[in-house]
Amino acid sequence: MGSYVKAYRAKGLSGLELGESPSRPSFLTKEQEEQVRKLLVDHRPSDVGFPCEMNWTAPLLRDWIQRKFNIKYSEHGTRKLLHLLGFSFTKPTYTLALADSEKQEQFKQDFETVKKLIQREIDRILFQDESMIRDYQALAHTWFPKGQQKIVPTYGKHRGVKLIGTLDYESGEVFCIEEEQYDANVFLAFLKQVVARYPGEKIVMVLDNARIHHAKLIQPFLNEHSGRLQLMFLPPYSPQLNLIEGLWGWLKKSVIHNVFYHTVAEIRTAVQNFISEINKTPMETVDRLCIQI
């Protein structure tokens, strides 16, 4: 054993707290380190003796190592071990478990075909969706002076507005209106507005499989305007392929985070101002949202 380890043990320390030398990062063997790596990748704490814990923390891993190998680490030493093993403390994202990757890939291929028809057989590709903008989703990270946590006044009510809109894939233009509810009649009225907004143009509208998008009520209108409007449905459980979803996230981050509005009218004004502002520079919207597919 190296002299620096003996020196630190003489002080009653253990694990990675024994020293800061990069030449002696841990007391685990390579085989034990690989067991730790597989543990973190393949198992939750609840799988290995921590019944109420779903996420790994340094203290939990420290306890597991002591149980499994009878080797003691400090919490700080465990964090160093995690970094040395190639782990970082980051926020995960999610995927929808029922999504079909083959159908998603087929949609991407079909969309590539549609894109090639722009300016020849079709004039416009629109991504369509609905979203509820609620102010109780409001608190998020922001900058404020150290030791002076930002306090956001609230009015004890959960207010919001229901939006329905389109994002133009090529031009970046956003068309967005507010509705009281989402049903087949509202969606039919919206389709009529879209067709009227782009007179004489042939439109492909990309949208999800919400029930109102397949309603019998809208079929006569679609048949009547089949030469001008075609619906292109996304694979089930594929919100990441609907580019207007990015618009909703951008909108919420810009006008809802860290603000509680006193009235619905204030939320409505903030939303309208946001849409108006981004429509002044639509190619920035294209760069931000539309280059993903």
Side-chain angles (χ1 to χ4, degrees):
M1 183 179 295
S3 59
Y4 72 92
V5 174
K6 293 179 180 178
Y8 277 106
R9 280 193 171 171
K11 296 180 180 180
L13 301 175
S14 62
L16 286 182
E17 290 297 316
L18 291 175
E20 300 299 322
S21 172
S23 64
R24 182 64 168 138
S26 74
F27 288 117
L28 296 178
T29 66
K30 292 297 182 183
E31 292 76 13
Q32 290 169 337
E33 287 180 355
E34 184 59 27
Q35 288 186 57
V36 171
R37 184 180 289 106
K38 288 181 63 64
L39 171 79
L40 296 172
V41 171
D42 298 335
H43 299 281
R44 295 191 179 101
S46 59
D47 299 329
V48 291
F50 304 93
C52 298
E53 302 291 344
M54 296 294 114
N55 299 285
W56 283 108
T57 63
L60 286 176
L61 181 60
R62 175 198 60 198
D63 292 349
W64 183 86
I65 289 173
Q66 184 169 358
R67 293 183 190 180
K68 181 70 174 179
F69 304 120
N70 196 29
I71 297 175
K72 294 183 179 180
Y73 279 83
S74 68
E75 183 177 337
H76 174 69
T78 307
R79 287 196 298 269
K80 290 187 67 175
L81 174 65
L82 285 164
H83 287 295
L84 287 167
L85 294 178
F87 290 88
S88 61
F89 191 71
T90 57
K91 183 178 180 180
T93 185
Y94 70 89
T95 184
L96 295 174
L98 297 179
D100 188 320
S101 59
E102 292 185 4
K103 290 182 178 179
Q104 291 176 343
E105 188 58 36
Q106 184 60 55
F107 170 83
K108 293 178 182 178
Q109 295 177 20
D110 293 343
F111 186 73
E112 287 298 318
T113 301
V114 170
K115 285 197 297 183
K116 294 176 182 178
L117 300 177
I118 294 180
Q119 306 304 329
R120 290 192 291 137
E121 297 181 31
I122 63 175
D123 300 293
R124 198 173 296 273
I125 300 175
L126 302 176
F127 283 79
Q128 186 277 334
D129 195 26
E130 299 83 22
S131 183
M132 178 70 172
I133 309 299
R134 305 177 176 93
D135 72 351
Y136 68 79
Q137 299 170 330
L139 295 181
H141 289 82
T142 188
W143 293 99
F144 48 81
K146 290 184 179 179
Q148 300 178 35
Q149 184 178 27
K150 186 179 181 69
I151 306 298
V152 181
T154 179
Y155 298 93
K157 297 181 179 180
H158 299 325
R159 307 180 187 279
V161 295
K162 293 181 177 180
L163 304 177
I164 181 169
T166 58
L167 167 65
D168 190 308
Y169 178 77
E170 193 172 40
S171 74
E173 179 189 33
V174 173
F175 172 54
C176 187
I177 61 175
E178 181 188 348
E179 293 290 351
E180 292 295 325
Q181 59 185 4
Y182 299 134
D183 59 24
N185 284 300
V186 167
F187 185 56
L188 175 59
F190 180 74
L191 292 178
K192 292 178 178 178
Q193 290 187 61
V194 170
V195 169
R197 185 177 179 85
Y198 306 110
E201 296 189 13
K202 296 181 179 180
I203 302 166
V204 172
M205 180 180 288
V206 181
L207 67 171
D208 63 27
N209 287 276
R211 185 164 50 187
I212 63 172
H213 299 162
H214 291 280
K216 292 182 179 180
L217 180 67
I218 70 172
Q219 297 309 314
F221 177 82
L222 293 176
N223 293 335
E224 180 184 352
H225 294 84
S226 60
R228 289 198 52 211
L229 177 64
Q230 296 182 19
L231 303 186
M232 183 178 184
F233 288 98
L234 292 155
Y237 310 107
S238 302
Q240 77 280 8
L241 296 178
N242 194 351
L243 300 184
I244 197 173
E245 293 279 1
L247 174 73
W248 304 138
W250 184 10
L251 168 61
K252 292 172 184 177
K253 181 178 179 180
S254 297
V255 306
I256 295 298
H257 287 182
N258 300 324
V259 179
F260 286 93
Y261 292 92
H262 186 53
T263 65
V264 173
E266 291 178 352
I267 303 176
R268 183 179 299 119
T269 297
V271 169
Q272 292 171 346
N273 288 343
F274 173 85
I275 299 299
S276 176
E277 192 65 25
I278 67 170
N279 274 337
K280 294 177 181 177
T281 54
M283 293 313 297
E284 292 183 10
T285 301
V286 171
D287 291 340
R288 179 165 182 152
L289 302 178
C290 299
I291 62 173
Q292 301 176 46
I293 59 174

